[in-house]
Amino acid sequence: MNKFLFGFLVIVTTALMGSSFAVGKIGLEYSSPLLLVALRFTIAGVIMAIVVKILKKPHPKKLGEWKWLVLIGSLQTAAVMGCIFIALRTITSGETSILTFTNPLLVVVIGTLVLRIRYRLQQWIGVICGLFGVFITMGAHLDLRIGTVLGFMSAIAWACSTLIVKLHGYRFDTWVMTAYQMLFGGLILFIASFLLEEPFFEMNALSLGILAWLAIAASIIQFSIWFYLLQTGNPERTSAFLFLAPFFGTLSGWVLLDEKLSYSLITGGLLISLGIFLVNWRSKRELSRLLV
């Protein structure tokens, strides 16, 4: 893949990742948060499940393997997205995206404490840099608003899901895992919606357009491009560009919602982006060693 195409696809997929925060916040004017995200991922999951079935992708044959897809879906889709969409009701889309995308930093921390994984010094510098960025983003003080807590909880759930995929993802075809974790997560969110909120969805052209954008553009298309890049390029190099997602999340909030770009948000966001880059980036020499 040439560099121009790679760069273009990276920008498209991370822009779609980031845009979902601002678009989702607009959608909350017409829907309760858990129902909106349940509809988003159930629709996306059903479409992708049909596609992987038509393409005859290998599906799990043992019941015990399906439980991992349910667990991944409960974390990656239900917990992460549920926390995000509830957080969007109390804090800006920019703040939510920045907090959520601290998950690569938390992967290092949780992986070390729980799984005893050893990480490089560069990655720990990235973690310190990123967590300091979170502190600055929150105005250089510990602000325990419910939205802030939920935004950070979404990052923790995402980090836990990433580690589970790291340990058990080899069992599944990537596309099958993506399809069913979205579907199972969406169904779990439906249950949560009817138990934890008063669900409502106001049907009109704008709300349906928002739902279509979230389910198709920001879920199916975004995941498809991202996994294409991971499979055709170098996963470590590609993952390093995740730092662009909170940038686009903040930018889309500014453009679509007229959210203010405070100095603390910009400075903290830059530090978090640098931290994500350091956590994921590998030099050519390191990559060559991995291939030996």
Side-chain angles (χ1 to χ4, degrees):
M1 186 189 304
N2 64 59
K3 292 182 179 180
F4 176 80
L5 179 59
F6 175 82
F8 173 74
L9 291 177
V10 163
I11 290 173
V12 170
T13 188
T14 52
L16 288 173
M17 284 185 197
S19 72
S20 64
F21 291 86
V23 174
K25 193 172 182 70
I26 297 172
L28 293 179
E29 297 178 14
Y30 307 98
S31 175
S32 54
L34 293 179
L35 181 59
L36 179 59
V37 74
L39 289 168
R40 169 188 177 179
F41 284 102
T42 301
I43 292 170
V46 167
I47 293 173
M48 286 200 70
I50 293 172
V51 170
V52 296
K53 199 69 177 177
I54 292 173
L55 295 177
K56 297 182 179 179
K57 295 287 185 180
H59 284 55
K61 296 180 180 179
K62 298 179 181 179
L63 185 62
E65 292 180 328
W66 285 100
K67 72 179 182 182
W68 292 112
L69 292 180
V70 174
L71 179 59
I72 293 168
S74 67
L75 289 170
Q76 180 66 54
T77 294
V80 172
M81 295 301 168
C83 286
I84 287 173
F85 273 68
I86 296 175
L88 285 170
R89 300 186 72 173
T90 58
I91 61 176
T92 67
S93 62
E95 288 174 319
T96 307
S97 65
I98 287 173
L99 287 170
T100 298
F101 281 100
T102 58
N103 74 86
L105 312 177
L106 298 177
V107 166
V108 175
V109 176
I110 297 172
T112 299
L113 295 176
V114 178
L115 302 178
R116 306 299 182 187
I117 298 174
R118 297 181 64 183
Y119 294 93
R120 294 166 290 135
L121 177 61
Q122 171 191 306
Q123 292 173 298
W124 278 108
I125 293 174
V127 170
I128 295 170
C129 180
L131 294 180
F132 185 60
V134 172
F135 180 65
I136 292 178
T137 300
M138 296 299 101
H141 62 276
L142 189 60
D143 188 349
L144 292 180
R145 287 177 295 170
I146 185 63
T148 304
V149 174
L150 288 171
F152 200 65
M153 285 177 63
S154 72
I156 294 173
W158 194 342
C160 292
S161 173
T162 299
L163 290 169
I164 291 173
V165 171
K166 186 181 182 71
L167 291 174
H168 299 283
Y170 70 90
R171 302 170 185 265
F172 312 104
D173 175 86
T174 301
W175 298 101
V176 170
M177 179 171 63
T178 302
Y180 287 100
Q181 70 91 7
M182 286 199 296
L183 178 57
F184 291 142
L187 294 175
I188 291 169
L189 283 163
F190 266 120
I191 297 172
S193 173
F194 285 96
L195 290 177
L196 302 176
E197 66 181 7
E198 295 183 8
F200 72 91
F201 186 86
E202 182 182 330
M203 268 198 192
N204 55 49
L206 181 56
S207 66
L208 292 175
I210 289 170
L211 181 58
W213 176 270
L214 292 173
I216 297 173
S219 296
I220 295 175
I221 295 175
Q222 181 263 303
F223 273 117
S224 297
I225 295 174
W226 183 251
F227 284 126
Y228 171 75
L229 291 172
L230 290 175
Q231 290 178 343
T232 58
N234 181 274
E236 286 82 7
R237 284 281 178 87
T238 302
S239 297
F241 289 97
L242 266 177
F243 76 90
L244 289 171
F247 165 75
F248 284 119
T250 304
L251 183 64
S252 61
W254 176 59
V255 173
L256 297 176
L257 300 170
D258 198 28
E259 293 178 349
K260 294 181 179 180
L261 299 179
S262 64
Y263 288 115
S264 61
L265 186 67
I266 294 171
T267 304
L270 288 174
L271 284 171
I272 291 169
S273 297
L274 176 60
I276 294 170
F277 183 82
L278 290 173
V279 163
N280 287 296
W281 182 259
R282 289 182 184 271
S283 66
K284 289 183 178 180
R285 181 179 296 180
E286 287 176 312
L287 291 174
S288 64
R289 288 175 182 172
L290 291 175
L291 295 174
V292 173

